Amino acid sequence: MFFRGLVTIGARQGMVKTYDLIGRHFGWDKAPKPATERQITAYLLDRALRSRGMVSLDSVCHLDAPRKKAVRELIESRVRRKLLVPVHIEGHGKAEHWAMPETLASERVAPPGLTHILSPFDPLIIQRKRLKLFFGYDHLFEAYVPAAKRKLGYFALPVLVGDRIVAAADLKADRAAGKLLIQNWTRLEDAGAEAKAAIDEALGRFERFQFGD
């Protein structure tokens, strides 16, 4: 009912959600006109281009494979109108990507000191094909893997430094002691002394976030 637009979340306490009829919750006498399939397809493509810059069918239609045909048709229409440009990534064969001309013309560069402890559900990590293509990294989510067979840990968090994923950290919050515990640290490459200091600072931010400091 939620995904059909019949109910919405009227209140939430922790993980417990209370649903309400959508018309009653918003006080509508008449429901607004729903978006058309073409409008939805355009929204998904525009959102992907805005957030990722360069897109593929897989990235636009993540977990929504039935929509690929419509998205491809829209992409091809925009290519004909020169609103999108096909992008070939050297060394990756027939992998198809597209970007807006103004995106390719820009010279935006990520700050060299950009360092984050990422959730395995972060948009950068959750799309495994894209992650492997751009970062050369295969993330393992092992929460459901027997402990003896885990490589990275129960809930490993990728560590991003600039445009490299340099490590995966299996962290646990010890709420009684108010400390963040590193249960396993998998080094993927030598980050360098400067990056290690940035990682320590990022871990401090992550710890403060976990305990609400």
Short mmCIF file of all heavy atoms in Angstrom, two decimals, residues 62-127:
data_model
loop_
_atom_site.label_atom_id
_atom_site.label_comp_id
_atom_site.label_asym_id
_atom_site.label_seq_id
_atom_site.Cartn_x
_atom_site.Cartn_y
_atom_site.Cartn_z
N HIS A 62 19.20 0.59 -10.96
CA HIS A 62 19.62 -0.29 -9.87
C HIS A 62 18.39 -0.86 -9.16
O HIS A 62 17.52 -0.12 -8.70
CB HIS A 62 20.49 0.49 -8.90
CG HIS A 62 21.02 -0.33 -7.77
ND1 HIS A 62 21.84 -1.42 -7.96
CD2 HIS A 62 20.84 -0.24 -6.42
CE1 HIS A 62 22.16 -1.95 -6.80
NE2 HIS A 62 21.55 -1.26 -5.85
N LEU A 63 18.29 -2.18 -9.11
CA LEU A 63 17.17 -2.91 -8.49
C LEU A 63 15.84 -2.65 -9.21
O LEU A 63 14.76 -2.87 -8.65
CB LEU A 63 17.03 -2.55 -7.00
CG LEU A 63 18.25 -2.82 -6.12
CD1 LEU A 63 17.97 -2.45 -4.68
CD2 LEU A 63 18.68 -4.28 -6.22
N ASP A 64 15.89 -2.19 -10.44
CA ASP A 64 14.68 -1.91 -11.21
C ASP A 64 14.92 -2.27 -12.68
O ASP A 64 14.72 -1.45 -13.58
CB ASP A 64 14.31 -0.42 -11.07
CG ASP A 64 12.92 -0.11 -11.63
OD1 ASP A 64 12.17 -1.07 -11.94
OD2 ASP A 64 12.59 1.08 -11.77
N ALA A 65 15.37 -3.50 -12.92
CA ALA A 65 15.73 -3.94 -14.27
C ALA A 65 14.61 -3.79 -15.30
O ALA A 65 14.89 -3.47 -16.46
CB ALA A 65 16.22 -5.38 -14.23
N PRO A 66 13.32 -3.99 -14.95
CA PRO A 66 12.26 -3.86 -15.96
C PRO A 66 12.19 -2.47 -16.61
O PRO A 66 11.62 -2.32 -17.68
CB PRO A 66 10.98 -4.16 -15.17
CG PRO A 66 11.43 -5.06 -14.06
CD PRO A 66 12.77 -4.52 -13.67
N ARG A 67 12.78 -1.47 -15.96
CA ARG A 67 12.71 -0.12 -16.51
C ARG A 67 13.83 0.17 -17.51
O ARG A 67 13.87 1.24 -18.12
CB ARG A 67 12.73 0.91 -15.38
CG ARG A 67 12.14 2.27 -15.77
CD ARG A 67 12.12 3.22 -14.59
NE ARG A 67 11.16 2.82 -13.59
CZ ARG A 67 9.86 3.12 -13.63
NH1 ARG A 67 9.38 3.81 -14.64
NH2 ARG A 67 9.05 2.73 -12.67
N LYS A 68 14.75 -0.77 -17.72
CA LYS A 68 15.90 -0.52 -18.59
C LYS A 68 15.51 -0.15 -20.01
O LYS A 68 16.13 0.73 -20.62
CB LYS A 68 16.82 -1.74 -18.60
CG LYS A 68 17.67 -1.90 -17.35
CD LYS A 68 18.66 -3.03 -17.50
CE LYS A 68 19.56 -3.12 -16.27
NZ LYS A 68 20.57 -4.20 -16.41
N LYS A 69 14.50 -0.80 -20.55
CA LYS A 69 14.10 -0.53 -21.93
C LYS A 69 13.68 0.93 -22.09
O LYS A 69 14.12 1.62 -23.02
CB LYS A 69 12.95 -1.45 -22.35
CG LYS A 69 12.48 -1.27 -23.80
CD LYS A 69 11.40 -2.30 -24.14
CE LYS A 69 10.96 -2.17 -25.60
NZ LYS A 69 10.28 -0.88 -25.86
N ALA A 70 12.84 1.42 -21.18
CA ALA A 70 12.37 2.80 -21.26
C ALA A 70 13.52 3.79 -21.05
O ALA A 70 13.60 4.83 -21.71
CB ALA A 70 11.26 3.04 -20.23
N VAL A 71 14.42 3.48 -20.11
CA VAL A 71 15.55 4.36 -19.85
C VAL A 71 16.48 4.40 -21.06
O VAL A 71 16.96 5.48 -21.45
CB VAL A 71 16.31 3.91 -18.58
CG1 VAL A 71 17.62 4.69 -18.43
CG2 VAL A 71 15.44 4.11 -17.35
N ARG A 72 16.75 3.27 -21.67
CA ARG A 72 17.60 3.25 -22.86
C ARG A 72 16.98 4.09 -23.97
O ARG A 72 17.69 4.86 -24.65
CB ARG A 72 17.83 1.82 -23.35
CG ARG A 72 18.65 1.77 -24.65
CD ARG A 72 18.94 0.37 -25.10
NE ARG A 72 20.00 -0.25 -24.34
CZ ARG A 72 21.29 -0.02 -24.53
NH1 ARG A 72 21.69 0.84 -25.48
NH2 ARG A 72 22.21 -0.63 -23.82
N GLU A 73 15.69 3.97 -24.19
CA GLU A 73 15.02 4.76 -25.23
C GLU A 73 15.16 6.25 -24.96
O GLU A 73 15.39 7.04 -25.88
CB GLU A 73 13.55 4.36 -25.33
CG GLU A 73 13.34 2.96 -25.90
CD GLU A 73 11.89 2.51 -25.85
OE1 GLU A 73 11.07 3.23 -25.22
OE2 GLU A 73 11.56 1.45 -26.42
N LEU A 74 15.02 6.64 -23.70
CA LEU A 74 15.16 8.06 -23.34
C LEU A 74 16.61 8.51 -23.54
O LEU A 74 16.86 9.62 -24.04
CB LEU A 74 14.72 8.28 -21.90
CG LEU A 74 14.79 9.72 -21.40
CD1 LEU A 74 13.99 10.68 -22.28
CD2 LEU A 74 14.31 9.81 -19.94
N ILE A 75 17.57 7.68 -23.15
CA ILE A 75 18.98 8.02 -23.34
C ILE A 75 19.29 8.20 -24.83
O ILE A 75 19.93 9.18 -25.23
CB ILE A 75 19.88 6.92 -22.74
CG1 ILE A 75 19.85 7.00 -21.20
CG2 ILE A 75 21.33 7.07 -23.23
CD1 ILE A 75 20.58 5.87 -20.51
N GLU A 76 18.83 7.27 -25.66
CA GLU A 76 19.09 7.36 -27.10
C GLU A 76 18.46 8.60 -27.70
O GLU A 76 19.03 9.25 -28.59
CB GLU A 76 18.56 6.10 -27.78
CG GLU A 76 19.39 4.85 -27.45
CD GLU A 76 18.78 3.58 -27.99
OE1 GLU A 76 17.62 3.62 -28.46
OE2 GLU A 76 19.46 2.53 -27.95
N SER A 77 17.28 8.98 -27.19
CA SER A 77 16.63 10.21 -27.66
C SER A 77 17.48 11.43 -27.30
O SER A 77 17.65 12.35 -28.12
CB SER A 77 15.24 10.33 -27.03
OG SER A 77 14.66 11.59 -27.29
N ARG A 78 18.02 11.45 -26.09
CA ARG A 78 18.84 12.59 -25.66
C ARG A 78 20.18 12.62 -26.39
O ARG A 78 20.72 13.70 -26.64
CB ARG A 78 19.04 12.55 -24.15
CG ARG A 78 17.76 12.80 -23.37
CD ARG A 78 18.04 13.02 -21.90
NE ARG A 78 16.81 13.23 -21.14
CZ ARG A 78 16.77 13.51 -19.84
NH1 ARG A 78 17.91 13.63 -19.16
NH2 ARG A 78 15.62 13.69 -19.22
N VAL A 79 20.72 11.45 -26.74
CA VAL A 79 21.96 11.42 -27.52
C VAL A 79 21.72 12.03 -28.89
O VAL A 79 22.54 12.82 -29.39
CB VAL A 79 22.48 9.97 -27.65
CG1 VAL A 79 23.61 9.90 -28.69
CG2 VAL A 79 22.99 9.47 -26.29
N ARG A 80 20.59 11.70 -29.52
CA ARG A 80 20.27 12.26 -30.84
C ARG A 80 20.13 13.77 -30.78
O ARG A 80 20.50 14.47 -31.73
CB ARG A 80 18.98 11.63 -31.37
CG ARG A 80 19.13 10.17 -31.81
CD ARG A 80 17.93 9.71 -32.62
NE ARG A 80 16.69 9.74 -31.85
CZ ARG A 80 16.24 8.72 -31.11
NH1 ARG A 80 16.92 7.58 -31.06
NH2 ARG A 80 15.11 8.82 -30.44
N ARG A 81 19.64 14.26 -29.65
CA ARG A 81 19.47 15.71 -29.48
C ARG A 81 20.72 16.37 -28.88
O ARG A 81 20.70 17.55 -28.54
CB ARG A 81 18.25 15.99 -28.59
CG ARG A 81 16.92 15.65 -29.26
CD ARG A 81 15.76 15.96 -28.34
NE ARG A 81 15.65 14.97 -27.28
CZ ARG A 81 15.12 15.22 -26.07
NH1 ARG A 81 14.70 16.44 -25.78
NH2 ARG A 81 15.04 14.26 -25.16
N LYS A 82 21.79 15.57 -28.75
CA LYS A 82 23.08 16.05 -28.23
C LYS A 82 22.99 16.55 -26.79
O LYS A 82 23.78 17.40 -26.36
CB LYS A 82 23.68 17.13 -29.14
CG LYS A 82 23.87 16.67 -30.59
CD LYS A 82 24.61 17.70 -31.40
CE LYS A 82 24.72 17.30 -32.86
NZ LYS A 82 25.27 15.94 -33.07
N LEU A 83 22.02 16.03 -26.05
CA LEU A 83 21.90 16.36 -24.63
C LEU A 83 22.73 15.40 -23.78
O LEU A 83 23.05 15.71 -22.63
CB LEU A 83 20.43 16.30 -24.19
CG LEU A 83 19.49 17.26 -24.92
CD1 LEU A 83 18.05 17.03 -24.48
CD2 LEU A 83 19.90 18.71 -24.65
N LEU A 84 23.06 14.24 -24.35
CA LEU A 84 23.94 13.27 -23.71
C LEU A 84 25.01 12.83 -24.69
O LEU A 84 24.79 12.85 -25.91
CB LEU A 84 23.16 12.05 -23.22
CG LEU A 84 22.27 12.21 -21.99
CD1 LEU A 84 21.54 10.90 -21.70
CD2 LEU A 84 23.05 12.67 -20.78
N VAL A 85 26.16 12.42 -24.14
CA VAL A 85 27.28 11.98 -24.96
C VAL A 85 27.69 10.57 -24.51
O VAL A 85 27.87 10.34 -23.31
CB VAL A 85 28.49 12.92 -24.81
CG1 VAL A 85 29.69 12.42 -25.60
CG2 VAL A 85 28.11 14.33 -25.25
N PRO A 86 27.83 9.62 -25.44
CA PRO A 86 28.33 8.29 -25.05
C PRO A 86 29.78 8.40 -24.55
O PRO A 86 30.57 9.17 -25.10
CB PRO A 86 28.25 7.48 -26.35
CG PRO A 86 27.30 8.24 -27.23
CD PRO A 86 27.47 9.67 -26.86
N VAL A 87 30.11 7.64 -23.53
CA VAL A 87 31.46 7.66 -22.95
C VAL A 87 32.03 6.25 -22.98
O VAL A 87 31.39 5.30 -22.50
CB VAL A 87 31.43 8.18 -21.50
CG1 VAL A 87 32.83 8.14 -20.90
CG2 VAL A 87 30.86 9.59 -21.44
N HIS A 88 33.21 6.11 -23.57
CA HIS A 88 33.91 4.82 -23.59
C HIS A 88 35.00 4.84 -22.54
O HIS A 88 35.83 5.76 -22.50
CB HIS A 88 34.52 4.55 -24.97
CG HIS A 88 35.39 3.33 -25.00
ND1 HIS A 88 34.88 2.05 -24.91
CD2 HIS A 88 36.74 3.19 -25.07
CE1 HIS A 88 35.87 1.18 -24.94
NE2 HIS A 88 37.01 1.84 -25.05
N ILE A 89 35.00 3.83 -21.69
CA ILE A 89 36.02 3.73 -20.64
C ILE A 89 37.09 2.76 -21.11
O ILE A 89 36.81 1.58 -21.32
CB ILE A 89 35.40 3.27 -19.32
CG1 ILE A 89 34.31 4.26 -18.88
CG2 ILE A 89 36.47 3.14 -18.24
CD1 ILE A 89 33.57 3.85 -17.64
N GLU A 90 38.29 3.25 -21.29
CA GLU A 90 39.38 2.44 -21.84
C GLU A 90 39.62 1.20 -20.99
O GLU A 90 39.69 1.26 -19.76
CB GLU A 90 40.66 3.28 -21.91
CG GLU A 90 41.81 2.58 -22.60
CD GLU A 90 43.03 3.48 -22.74
OE1 GLU A 90 42.95 4.66 -22.35
OE2 GLU A 90 44.06 2.99 -23.25
N GLY A 91 39.71 0.08 -21.68
CA GLY A 91 40.00 -1.17 -20.99
C GLY A 91 38.78 -1.91 -20.49
O GLY A 91 38.91 -2.97 -19.85
N HIS A 92 37.59 -1.37 -20.77
CA HIS A 92 36.37 -2.01 -20.26
C HIS A 92 35.40 -2.37 -21.37
O HIS A 92 34.19 -2.34 -21.19
CB HIS A 92 35.71 -1.12 -19.20
CG HIS A 92 36.52 -1.02 -17.95
ND1 HIS A 92 36.52 -2.01 -16.98
CD2 HIS A 92 37.39 -0.08 -17.52
CE1 HIS A 92 37.35 -1.66 -16.01
NE2 HIS A 92 37.89 -0.50 -16.32
N GLY A 93 35.94 -2.67 -22.53
CA GLY A 93 35.16 -3.25 -23.62
C GLY A 93 33.90 -2.50 -23.97
O GLY A 93 33.93 -1.31 -24.26
N LYS A 94 32.79 -3.23 -23.93
CA LYS A 94 31.52 -2.68 -24.41
C LYS A 94 30.68 -2.01 -23.32
O LYS A 94 29.51 -1.71 -23.55
CB LYS A 94 30.70 -3.79 -25.07
CG LYS A 94 31.37 -4.40 -26.31
CD LYS A 94 30.50 -5.49 -26.91
CE LYS A 94 31.16 -6.08 -28.15
NZ LYS A 94 30.32 -7.17 -28.75
N ALA A 95 31.25 -1.82 -22.15
CA ALA A 95 30.49 -1.17 -21.08
C ALA A 95 30.03 0.22 -21.53
O ALA A 95 30.85 1.05 -21.91
CB ALA A 95 31.36 -1.05 -19.82
N GLU A 96 28.71 0.44 -21.53
CA GLU A 96 28.15 1.69 -22.04
C GLU A 96 27.90 2.68 -20.90
O GLU A 96 27.28 2.33 -19.90
CB GLU A 96 26.82 1.41 -22.75
CG GLU A 96 26.95 0.57 -24.01
CD GLU A 96 25.61 0.34 -24.66
OE1 GLU A 96 24.78 -0.38 -24.06
OE2 GLU A 96 25.37 0.88 -25.76
N HIS A 97 28.36 3.91 -21.11
CA HIS A 97 28.11 4.99 -20.16
C HIS A 97 27.76 6.25 -20.94
O HIS A 97 28.12 6.39 -22.11
CB HIS A 97 29.33 5.24 -19.28
CG HIS A 97 29.57 4.17 -18.26
ND1 HIS A 97 30.18 2.97 -18.58
CD2 HIS A 97 29.26 4.10 -16.94
CE1 HIS A 97 30.24 2.22 -17.50
NE2 HIS A 97 29.71 2.88 -16.49
N TRP A 98 27.09 7.17 -20.27
CA TRP A 98 26.71 8.44 -20.87
C TRP A 98 26.87 9.55 -19.85
O TRP A 98 26.83 9.34 -18.64
CB TRP A 98 25.23 8.41 -21.33
CG TRP A 98 24.95 7.38 -22.37
CD1 TRP A 98 24.98 7.53 -23.73
CD2 TRP A 98 24.57 6.01 -22.16
NE1 TRP A 98 24.65 6.36 -24.37
CE2 TRP A 98 24.39 5.41 -23.43
CE3 TRP A 98 24.36 5.23 -21.02
CZ2 TRP A 98 24.00 4.08 -23.59
CZ3 TRP A 98 23.98 3.90 -21.16
CH2 TRP A 98 23.81 3.34 -22.44
N ALA A 99 27.09 10.76 -20.37
CA ALA A 99 27.21 11.94 -19.52
C ALA A 99 26.71 13.15 -20.30
O ALA A 99 26.63 13.12 -21.54
CB ALA A 99 28.65 12.16 -19.08
N MET A 100 26.40 14.21 -19.59
CA MET A 100 26.02 15.46 -20.25
C MET A 100 27.28 16.15 -20.74
O MET A 100 28.33 16.08 -20.08
CB MET A 100 25.25 16.36 -19.28
CG MET A 100 23.90 15.80 -18.88
SD MET A 100 22.91 16.94 -17.86
CE MET A 100 23.86 16.92 -16.33
N PRO A 101 27.23 16.82 -21.88
CA PRO A 101 28.43 17.49 -22.41
C PRO A 101 29.07 18.44 -21.42
O PRO A 101 30.30 18.51 -21.31
CB PRO A 101 27.90 18.24 -23.65
CG PRO A 101 26.68 17.47 -24.06
CD PRO A 101 26.07 16.97 -22.78
N GLU A 102 28.24 19.17 -20.66
CA GLU A 102 28.79 20.13 -19.71
C GLU A 102 29.52 19.44 -18.56
O GLU A 102 30.46 19.99 -17.97
CB GLU A 102 27.71 21.05 -19.16
CG GLU A 102 26.51 20.36 -18.54
CD GLU A 102 25.38 20.12 -19.52
OE1 GLU A 102 25.66 19.87 -20.72
OE2 GLU A 102 24.22 20.19 -19.09
N THR A 103 29.12 18.22 -18.24
CA THR A 103 29.82 17.46 -17.20
C THR A 103 31.22 17.09 -17.66
O THR A 103 32.20 17.22 -16.93
CB THR A 103 29.04 16.18 -16.84
OG1 THR A 103 27.74 16.54 -16.34
CG2 THR A 103 29.77 15.37 -15.78
N LEU A 104 31.32 16.64 -18.91
CA LEU A 104 32.63 16.26 -19.45
C LEU A 104 33.54 17.48 -19.63
O LEU A 104 34.76 17.36 -19.57
CB LEU A 104 32.44 15.55 -20.79
CG LEU A 104 31.69 14.22 -20.74
CD1 LEU A 104 31.51 13.66 -22.14
CD2 LEU A 104 32.40 13.22 -19.84
N ALA A 105 32.93 18.64 -19.86
CA ALA A 105 33.73 19.86 -20.08
C ALA A 105 34.21 20.47 -18.77
O ALA A 105 35.13 21.30 -18.77
CB ALA A 105 32.90 20.89 -20.86
N SER A 106 33.61 20.07 -17.65
CA SER A 106 33.98 20.67 -16.36
C SER A 106 35.31 20.11 -15.88
O SER A 106 35.74 19.03 -16.30
CB SER A 106 32.89 20.41 -15.31
OG SER A 106 32.83 19.04 -15.00
N GLU A 107 35.95 20.81 -14.98
CA GLU A 107 37.24 20.39 -14.44
C GLU A 107 37.17 20.19 -12.93
O GLU A 107 38.13 20.40 -12.21
CB GLU A 107 38.31 21.44 -14.77
CG GLU A 107 38.56 21.61 -16.26
CD GLU A 107 39.65 22.61 -16.56
OE1 GLU A 107 40.20 23.18 -15.60
OE2 GLU A 107 39.96 22.83 -17.75
N ARG A 108 36.01 19.74 -12.48
CA ARG A 108 35.84 19.52 -11.04
C ARG A 108 36.69 18.33 -10.59
O ARG A 108 36.66 17.27 -11.18
CB ARG A 108 34.37 19.26 -10.71
CG ARG A 108 33.50 20.52 -10.82
CD ARG A 108 32.06 20.20 -10.53
NE ARG A 108 31.48 19.38 -11.60
CZ ARG A 108 30.23 18.97 -11.60
NH1 ARG A 108 29.43 19.27 -10.60
NH2 ARG A 108 29.77 18.24 -12.61
N VAL A 109 37.45 18.54 -9.53
CA VAL A 109 38.32 17.50 -8.99
C VAL A 109 38.03 17.36 -7.50
O VAL A 109 37.92 18.36 -6.79
CB VAL A 109 39.81 17.85 -9.21
CG1 VAL A 109 40.70 16.78 -8.59
CG2 VAL A 109 40.11 18.01 -10.69
N ALA A 110 37.90 16.13 -7.03
CA ALA A 110 37.65 15.92 -5.60
C ALA A 110 38.82 16.41 -4.78
O ALA A 110 39.98 16.25 -5.18
CB ALA A 110 37.42 14.43 -5.34
N PRO A 111 38.55 17.06 -3.65
CA PRO A 111 39.65 17.53 -2.79
C PRO A 111 40.57 16.36 -2.45
O PRO A 111 40.11 15.27 -2.10
CB PRO A 111 38.92 18.03 -1.53
CG PRO A 111 37.53 18.33 -1.99
CD PRO A 111 37.23 17.35 -3.08
N PRO A 112 41.89 16.54 -2.54
CA PRO A 112 42.82 15.44 -2.31
C PRO A 112 42.74 14.87 -0.90
O PRO A 112 43.06 13.70 -0.67
CB PRO A 112 44.19 16.08 -2.57
CG PRO A 112 43.97 17.54 -2.42
CD PRO A 112 42.56 17.80 -2.88
N GLY A 113 42.28 15.67 0.06
CA GLY A 113 42.19 15.20 1.44
C GLY A 113 40.86 14.57 1.80
O GLY A 113 40.63 14.24 2.97
N LEU A 114 39.98 14.40 0.82
CA LEU A 114 38.66 13.83 1.09
C LEU A 114 38.80 12.42 1.67
O LEU A 114 39.33 11.53 1.03
CB LEU A 114 37.85 13.78 -0.21
CG LEU A 114 36.43 13.22 -0.10
CD1 LEU A 114 35.54 14.20 0.63
CD2 LEU A 114 35.88 12.95 -1.49
N THR A 115 38.33 12.21 2.91
CA THR A 115 38.46 10.93 3.58
C THR A 115 37.17 10.61 4.31
O THR A 115 36.65 11.44 5.06
CB THR A 115 39.62 10.95 4.59
OG1 THR A 115 40.83 11.33 3.92
CG2 THR A 115 39.82 9.59 5.23
N HIS A 116 36.63 9.42 4.06
CA HIS A 116 35.37 9.03 4.69
C HIS A 116 35.38 7.55 5.06
O HIS A 116 35.95 6.72 4.35
CB HIS A 116 34.19 9.28 3.75
CG HIS A 116 33.79 10.71 3.65
ND1 HIS A 116 33.23 11.42 4.69
CD2 HIS A 116 33.86 11.58 2.61
CE1 HIS A 116 32.98 12.66 4.30
NE2 HIS A 116 33.37 12.77 3.05
N ILE A 117 34.70 7.24 6.16
CA ILE A 117 34.40 5.87 6.54
C ILE A 117 32.99 5.61 5.99
O ILE A 117 32.03 6.23 6.43
CB ILE A 117 34.42 5.67 8.06
CG1 ILE A 117 35.70 6.26 8.68
CG2 ILE A 117 34.25 4.21 8.41
CD1 ILE A 117 36.98 5.64 8.17
N LEU A 118 32.87 4.73 5.02
CA LEU A 118 31.61 4.56 4.29
C LEU A 118 30.83 3.34 4.77
O LEU A 118 31.40 2.30 5.08
CB LEU A 118 31.88 4.42 2.79
CG LEU A 118 32.54 5.60 2.09
CD1 LEU A 118 32.87 5.24 0.65
CD2 LEU A 118 31.63 6.82 2.13
N SER A 119 29.53 3.47 4.79
CA SER A 119 28.66 2.33 5.06
C SER A 119 28.65 1.41 3.84
O SER A 119 28.76 1.87 2.71
CB SER A 119 27.23 2.83 5.33
OG SER A 119 26.30 1.75 5.21
N PRO A 120 28.51 0.09 4.04
CA PRO A 120 28.37 -0.80 2.89
C PRO A 120 27.10 -0.54 2.09
O PRO A 120 26.96 -1.04 0.97
CB PRO A 120 28.36 -2.20 3.52
CG PRO A 120 28.01 -1.99 4.94
CD PRO A 120 28.54 -0.64 5.31
N PHE A 121 26.18 0.27 2.66
CA PHE A 121 24.95 0.63 1.96
C PHE A 121 25.03 2.03 1.36
O PHE A 121 24.03 2.55 0.86
CB PHE A 121 23.75 0.52 2.90
CG PHE A 121 23.58 -0.86 3.48
CD1 PHE A 121 23.69 -1.07 4.85
CD2 PHE A 121 23.34 -1.94 2.66
CE1 PHE A 121 23.55 -2.35 5.39
CE2 PHE A 121 23.19 -3.22 3.18
CZ PHE A 121 23.30 -3.42 4.55
N ASP A 122 26.20 2.67 1.45
CA ASP A 122 26.39 3.98 0.82
C ASP A 122 26.20 3.84 -0.69
O ASP A 122 26.57 2.82 -1.28
CB ASP A 122 27.80 4.48 1.13
CG ASP A 122 28.03 5.91 0.65
OD1 ASP A 122 28.36 6.09 -0.54
OD2 ASP A 122 27.88 6.82 1.47
N PRO A 123 25.60 4.85 -1.36
CA PRO A 123 25.40 4.77 -2.81
C PRO A 123 26.69 4.47 -3.59
O PRO A 123 26.64 3.85 -4.65
CB PRO A 123 24.85 6.16 -3.17
CG PRO A 123 24.15 6.60 -1.93
CD PRO A 123 24.97 6.07 -0.79
N LEU A 124 27.83 4.88 -3.08
CA LEU A 124 29.09 4.60 -3.76
C LEU A 124 29.45 3.12 -3.71
O LEU A 124 30.07 2.59 -4.62
CB LEU A 124 30.23 5.41 -3.11
CG LEU A 124 31.62 5.28 -3.73
CD1 LEU A 124 31.63 5.87 -5.14
CD2 LEU A 124 32.66 5.94 -2.86
N ILE A 125 29.01 2.44 -2.66
CA ILE A 125 29.39 1.05 -2.43
C ILE A 125 28.31 0.06 -2.91
O ILE A 125 28.62 -1.02 -3.40
CB ILE A 125 29.67 0.81 -0.93
CG1 ILE A 125 30.73 1.80 -0.41
CG2 ILE A 125 30.12 -0.63 -0.68
CD1 ILE A 125 32.05 1.73 -1.13
N ILE A 126 27.06 0.44 -2.79
CA ILE A 126 25.97 -0.52 -3.00
C ILE A 126 25.90 -1.02 -4.43
O ILE A 126 25.46 -2.14 -4.68
CB ILE A 126 24.62 0.11 -2.56
CG1 ILE A 126 23.56 -0.97 -2.31
CG2 ILE A 126 24.13 1.12 -3.56
CD1 ILE A 126 23.81 -1.84 -1.14
N GLN A 127 26.32 -0.21 -5.39
CA GLN A 127 26.31 -0.67 -6.79
C GLN A 127 27.66 -1.31 -7.09
O GLN A 127 28.62 -0.65 -7.48
CB GLN A 127 26.02 0.50 -7.73
CG GLN A 127 24.62 1.07 -7.55
CD GLN A 127 24.21 1.99 -8.68
OE1 GLN A 127 24.77 1.95 -9.77
NE2 GLN A 127 23.24 2.83 -8.42
#
